[in-house]
Amino acid sequence: TVKNIRFSSIRGLHASLAQNMGIALIPMVSVKEALAAERLVRINCNGLMGPVSLIMIWHAQKWCSPILGQFQELATQVMAG
């Protein structure tokens, strides 16, 4: 069974990853410091990946531009196949 957890901040995601709660595909720039400090580990999975989850993070109380909303919809459609 696949479980999805939603995070309101990248910090919450980092904390969960550091506690071995799972794995995530996130931009390298957001984990560069944690990787250098060895708080997180990069997993090389070239050719090993099957279906993946799409996780998008944005501030729930901030305005979302129409173009960002369209990107979110398109990314969801593309990832759904």
Side-chain angles (χ1 to χ4, degrees):
T1 304
V2 175
K3 293 185 179 185
N4 294 315
I5 301 173
R6 293 179 184 243
F7 292 93
S8 60
S9 72
I10 198 74
R11 235 182 232 152
L13 177 58
H14 283 203
S16 294
L17 292 172
Q19 294 298 315
N20 295 320
M21 292 182 66
I23 62 172
L25 294 174
I26 54 179
M28 185 64 83
V29 68
S30 70
V31 293
K32 191 177 183 181
E33 196 174 296
L35 288 170
E38 298 183 352
R39 292 189 304 270
L40 296 178
V41 177
R42 181 179 181 193
I43 300 171
N44 186 359
C45 53
N46 293 337
L48 300 176
M49 295 290 295
V52 297
S53 297
L54 172 65
I55 299 173
M56 292 184 274
I57 301 173
W58 64 92
H59 196 291
Q61 297 174 338
K62 297 219 177 185
W63 179 74
C64 178
S65 70
I67 193 81
L68 178 57
Q70 290 174 354
F71 168 77
Q72 292 167 337
E73 288 177 27
L74 179 61
T76 301
Q77 291 171 5
V78 168
M79 292 298 288

